């Protein structure tokens, strides 16, 4: 069994008590902060904390029915209890970290003390969900409708694919732009087949494209333009919001209506750009996973590569603006997301190889020299091998992956559907829709988006249906 999480858009059905969402979040915040204050006081006084489920349940029951305010009885008890149990587990981890530090032992994972929840955050409500109504605070009434206790029904943006599994967890949350989403997690059988004939494809991740030994996959110009426009609009809206009256959460004073309008506009366009990047990563990962059983990646220190060059007042950095632009370009490529998606889509697994000299080594003769590569061109100074520089790097990554996988593994090749291109395309971008099998456009002489030059390597442009 594997844990799978699905995310859906939400539409509230007629009669849904939407005001209960903010009310439930407020009651959860109140109880959370009160229990956290109790834990802190107990730890300060006795040096240990009782965070067992029995103690938390008894404390909450007394607060809800006797010592607490009467409006707490309107809350969904199971939702609040789950939040308190999570707080107890987090505080246990914090106490264990402090004990190890006291005896000069470095913990494997360091946990800080939980913080009080502040007023004004986005609403997020966890609950358990079933399809037969036996346990939980919500249940499926059909494949697309969920009924939540004391609130009403919500309709999902699409059908839930694994309805017959009994126990699920879900979380209904609000986006910064005011929209709503729900995530549902459940255990499903591991459907990965047994790999008898492993194949490997080397993947070279770059700024602007993803390359394999046979072809280069680039984002269509139309899609990239949409993403850039969304980011520019978000940036302008953020500048406008910075000049408006901001909310004061300490004194519970909301921001001006013009601030709310600009903030929602910025959040909406940020989410639009993020969705485009995520959709593109899904398309690339689907094409790769349908073509091979294993994928080889360079082990890149992405966090170090995207570090700020600002420096300090004593030692200021150099070329800060250029490094900032490079960092933004690196993070926009979603290199980590592509590997994460392939981790569960591949029949096999991901093979991580060393990144050193993969772009300078000739895949034909093995000669390594920095002069072999000139921007996007690769010309070996020894044997004269010519190729797209990123395709050459993909071949080197693939060879290293084959060595790690051992005997029996073979080179893979992307399975592309041939599409007859119109005669008057004029650019490397053709309208279309990506089907379930991962179809894409392929052409041996497509324009490389970064340089405008042509190469004999195949350039693959994903369908621009974002």
């Amino acid at each position: 069994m594997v844990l799978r999480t699905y995310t859906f858009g939400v539409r509230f059905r007629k009669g849904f008590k939407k005001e209960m969402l903010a009310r439930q979040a407020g009651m959860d915040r109140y109880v959370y902060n009160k229990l956290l204050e109790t834990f802190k006081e107990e730890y300060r006084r006795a040096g240990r904390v009782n965070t067992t489920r029995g103690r938390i349940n008894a404390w909450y029951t007394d607060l809800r029915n006797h010592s607490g305010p009467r409006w707490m009885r309107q809350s969904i008890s199971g939702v609040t209890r789950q939040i308190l149990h999570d707080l107890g587990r987090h505080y246990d981890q914090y106490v264990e970290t402090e004990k190890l530090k006291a005896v000069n032992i470095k913990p494997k994972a360091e946990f800080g003390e939980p913080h009080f929840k502040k007023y004004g955050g986005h609403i997020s409500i966890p609950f358990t969900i079933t399809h037969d109504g036996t346990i939980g605070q919500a249940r499926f009434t059909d494949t697309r409708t969920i009924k939540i206790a004391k609130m009403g029904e919500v309709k999902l943006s699409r059908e839930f694919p694994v309805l017959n599994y009994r126990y699920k967890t879900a979380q209904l949350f609000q986006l910064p732009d005011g929209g709503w989403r729900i995530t549902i997690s459940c255990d499903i059988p591991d459907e990965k087949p047994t790999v008898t004939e492993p194949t490997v494809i080397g993947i070279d991740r770059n700024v602007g494209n993803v390359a394999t030994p046979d072809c280069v996959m680039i984002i269509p110009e139309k899609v990239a333009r949409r993403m850039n426009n969304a980011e520019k609009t978000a940036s302008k809206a953020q500048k406008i919001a910075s000049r408006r009256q901001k909310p004061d959460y300490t004194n519970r004073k909301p921001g001006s209506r013009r601030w709310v309008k600009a903030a929602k506009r910025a959040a909406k366009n940020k989410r639009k750009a993020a969705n485009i990047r995520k959709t593109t990563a899904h398309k690339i990962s689907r094409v790769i996973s349908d073509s091979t059983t294993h994928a080889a990646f360079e082990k890149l220190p992405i966090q170090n590569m995207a570090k700020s060059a600002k420096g300090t007042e004593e030692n200021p950095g150099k070329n800060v603006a250029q490094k900032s632009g490079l960092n933004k370009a690196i993070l926009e490529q979603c290199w980590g997301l592509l590997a994460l998606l392939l981790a569960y889509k591949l029949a096999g697994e991901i093979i991580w190889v060393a990144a050193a000299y993969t772009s300078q080594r000739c895949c034909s003769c093995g000669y390594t020299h920095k002069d072999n590569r000139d921007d996007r061109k690769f010309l070996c100074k020894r044997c004269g091998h010519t190729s797209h520089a990123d395709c050459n790097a993909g071949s080197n990554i693939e060879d290293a992956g084959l060595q790690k996988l051992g005997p029996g593994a073979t080179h893979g090749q992307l399975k592309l559907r041939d599409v007859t291109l119109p005669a008057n395309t004029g650019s490397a971008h053709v309208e279309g829709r990506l089907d379930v099998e991962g179809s894409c456009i392929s052409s041996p002489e497509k324009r490389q988006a970064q340089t405008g030059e042509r190469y004999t390597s195949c350039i693959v442009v994903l369908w621009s249906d974002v």
Side-chain angles (χ1 to χ4, degrees), residues 168-217:
K168 303 178 182 72
T169 59
Q171 189 160 17
L172 181 66
F173 59 94
Q174 186 182 26
L175 298 171
D177 61 354
W180 290 87
R181 293 289 185 273
I182 187 171
T183 58
I184 304 176
S185 302
C186 65
D187 289 326
I188 64 172
D190 190 359
E191 300 176 351
K192 281 191 174 183
T194 303
V195 177
T196 55
E197 299 179 355
T199 58
V200 182
I201 290 181
I203 312 296
D204 183 44
R205 297 169 291 177
N206 306 281
V207 174
N209 66 55
V210 174
T212 69
D214 302 318
C215 60
V216 179
M217 289 178 276

Side-chain angles (χ1 to χ4, degrees), residues 3-6 82 126-130 167-171 182-186:
L3 181 66
R4 183 64 57 83
T5 301
Y6 302 88
Q82 183 59 48
F127 51 86
T128 54
I129 181 171
T130 62
Y167 188 80
K168 303 178 182 72
T169 59
Q171 189 160 17
I182 187 171
T183 58
I184 304 176
S185 302
C186 65

Side-chain angles (χ1 to χ4, degrees), residues 216-234:
V216 179
M217 289 178 276
I218 63 174
I219 302 176
E221 184 180 355
K222 183 178 181 180
V223 178
R225 188 167 61 248
R226 287 178 181 174
M227 185 172 63
N228 291 335
N229 289 343
E231 289 175 347
K232 288 180 181 178
T233 304

